[in-house]
Amino acid sequence: MVTKKMTINIPTGLEARPVAILVQVASQYDSSIYIECEEKKVNAKSIMGMMSLGLPAGEEIIVSANGKDEEAAIQNIEKYLSSESQQ
């Protein structure tokens, strides 16, 4: 299992469109991927779960991945969250 603290640098935070893209990124991997913020922990592959977090820009989160491609999953999620322009 890999766990990493990350900061959301997407200017709009994780609202509808960025959440949908993040779920697509996470869904490319076989690993289980979870995002934690404060007391909440949600599956990064669940669009409804991710929307329930309502994460603003600048928020610190903890991303954990567990599985055969966990390293690649963490790297690509961090790459997406640190991008200052949306893909």
Side-chain angles (χ1 to χ4, degrees), residues 62-82:
I62 296 172
V63 180
S64 57
N66 188 19
K68 64 181 181 183
D69 53 5
E70 59 193 25
E71 292 284 345
I74 290 284
Q75 287 176 354
N76 281 314
I77 288 171
E78 183 172 39
K79 182 179 174 185
Y80 175 67
L81 292 176
S82 64

Side-chain angles (χ1 to χ4, degrees), residues 25-65:
V25 171
S27 294
Q28 295 173 13
Y29 300 96
D30 292 329
S31 296
S32 299
I33 304 168
Y34 289 90
I35 301 213
E36 294 177 62
C37 182
E38 296 170 9
E39 300 298 313
K40 291 184 182 175
K41 181 176 181 177
V42 300
N43 183 340
K45 298 178 184 181
S46 164
I47 195 154
M48 294 308 292
M50 290 300 301
M51 288 295 292
S52 74
L53 291 177
L55 299 169
E59 184 76 43
E60 279 198 345
I61 59 172
I62 296 172
V63 180
S64 57

